[in-house]
Amino acid sequence: MPELKTAPAKTGRAALDSRWGTVLLSLLIPALNAAGHAGIFLFLRDAVLNPVLYAIVAILWGVVGVYVLYASLNWVIERYSDVWKRRIQPYLFVGPAFGLLTWLLLIPTIRTFIMSLQDATSSKFVWFSNYAAVFTNRLLLTALRNNLLWVLFGATACIVLGLLIAVLADRSSFERLAKAIVFMPMAISFVAAGVIWKFIYYYQPGDEQVGLLNAIVVKFGGEPQAWTSMTQPWNNLFLILILIWMQTGFAMVIFSAALKAVPEDLLEAARVDGAGEIRIFFKIIVPFISATILSVTTTIIVFTLKIFDVVMVMTGGQYDTEVVATQFYRQFFMYRNFGYGSTLAIVLLIAVIPVIWFNLRQLRKQGGFA
């Protein structure tokens, strides 16, 4: 009998020791990871190394450091009971990513909002005076109008042309070639696209033109034009054409993948019932891929609201082509007006949030995530 009483006592004590050991490891391992990453960060910040060595250390830190982080934390969680393991393990894999997003996105956003409530030198609070000034400033009102033009004409044209090309290409014998040609501009950056189109729109006085568009106009007896410095809204529309040239390929690829998921027997049944191709398109295909259309639309709208590269390369925001992003860059980095520049950044963020929220709401309805 005494031996039977002693064994459970030892077992309970061992379980208690194991539990405290797990708690200790749960505190020690994250602390060691944080200390190790902080040490590497301080080393890279303060050390004077060859740029190649900097790159090698940064790559090793990114790859090996992330692996060690997840492996060590997962090793600790494996010591928990099955119930707690199921509860904690999802947060292990989401937690570091959430922490990184908080560090890189949430904290800078909060800091930018605080700066938007301060004066140009960020030395004292002026509260919402910057916001009042922003919405009464002629340049910003012009920028807001131009952003609206980009959304209305740019996003709409990308969606319509992308869907049209996807439908026509899927029914052609040279589908791959057509899609490759349309998608090709996506392979270059917007800065490079701006440089290319700057040569296309290039204007110089006289009959000898090196710009492609003016050379064609002169060839047919027309007068060369300074396309990007014309009166509103034409110069903005010529800039929007660059967006259409680049983003139509993106819309086409997404729509093409969605079109291939439309059941062929459904289309054949509609044709047997006497429905024409146009009616099939609007009554069957469009409703079937409506979720994809919505997703692509919101993506391109968000992108056009943040447009910066094309305008900066082509006109620098001159000739009333300013958009909110170029105004932010000019105010914050050129004029050093931190309060006004931060306010423009927050205005741009506020403009983007409803579109993203609507997209996430639709995804939730379709069961995209819980």
Side-chain angles (χ1 to χ4, degrees), residues 21-164:
T22 303
V23 171
L24 182 61
L25 286 174
S26 300
L27 298 174
L28 183 61
I29 296 299
L32 289 175
N33 275 289
H37 287 287
I40 297 173
F41 172 77
L42 293 175
F43 170 76
L44 291 175
R45 186 191 68 179
D46 300 331
V48 179
L49 300 175
N50 185 283
V52 177
L53 289 178
Y54 268 122
I56 293 174
V57 173
I59 292 172
L60 289 175
W61 180 27
V63 177
V64 179
V66 170
Y67 173 78
V68 171
L69 175 68
Y70 279 102
S72 60
L73 293 178
N74 190 63
W75 176 74
V76 174
I77 292 176
E78 288 294 334
R79 299 170 64 90
Y80 283 69
S81 65
D82 291 339
V83 174
W84 282 101
K85 191 187 303 182
R86 287 194 298 269
R87 291 178 181 177
I88 298 175
Q89 223 160 21
Y91 295 99
L92 163 66
F93 294 100
V94 175
F98 180 77
L100 193 63
L101 286 174
T102 300
W103 182 27
L104 297 178
L105 293 178
L106 183 60
I107 294 176
T109 300
I110 295 173
R111 185 170 178 268
T112 302
F113 177 70
I114 293 173
M115 291 177 66
S116 72
L117 303 176
Q118 298 173 329
D119 63 357
T121 59
S122 298
S123 58
K124 65 177 182 179
F125 281 91
V126 294
W127 301 109
F128 293 98
S129 298
N130 287 326
Y131 290 90
V134 158
F135 288 102
T136 57
N137 184 286
R138 185 191 67 83
L139 286 176
L140 180 71
L141 294 176
T142 300
L144 290 172
R145 180 203 65 190
N146 291 341
N147 271 108
L148 185 61
L149 288 175
W150 280 83
V151 171
L152 288 178
F153 292 99
T156 302
C158 289
I159 302 303
V160 173
L161 289 176
L163 183 56
L164 181 63

Side-chain angles (χ1 to χ4, degrees), residues 198-202 209-218 227:
K198 200 165 188 176
F199 282 108
I200 294 176
Y201 290 148
Y202 187 77
Q209 298 293 325
V210 296
L212 176 62
L213 187 55
N214 275 322
I216 294 174
V217 170
V218 171
W227 304 101

Side-chain angles (χ1 to χ4, degrees), residues 185-197:
M186 285 288 296
I188 62 176
S189 68
F190 266 87
V191 174
V195 173
I196 292 172
W197 281 83

Side-chain angles (χ1 to χ4, degrees), residues 178-190:
K179 289 181 178 178
I181 293 173
V182 176
F183 188 77
M184 196 177 298
M186 285 288 296
I188 62 176
S189 68
F190 266 87

Side-chain angles (χ1 to χ4, degrees), residues 222-300:
E223 291 292 327
Q225 302 290 332
W227 304 101
T228 57
S229 59
M230 297 174 70
T231 57
Q232 291 289 336
W234 296 108
N235 52 357
N236 275 304
L237 295 178
F238 283 116
L239 297 183
I240 292 171
L241 185 61
I242 303 172
L243 171 78
I244 298 171
W245 178 66
M246 293 198 68
Q247 291 297 302
T248 298
F250 163 75
M252 175 205 67
V253 168
I254 305 300
F255 287 143
S256 181
L259 288 171
K260 292 185 183 300
V262 178
E264 190 64 34
D265 55 350
L266 182 63
L267 301 179
E268 289 298 328
R271 294 188 182 102
V272 170
D273 288 342
E277 293 300 322
I278 296 178
R279 188 174 182 183
I280 291 174
F281 176 77
F282 285 105
K283 296 294 184 179
I284 298 178
I285 295 178
V286 171
F288 194 89
I289 65 171
S290 58
T292 304
I293 295 175
L294 175 64
S295 178
V296 173
T297 301
T298 52
T299 301
I300 296 181

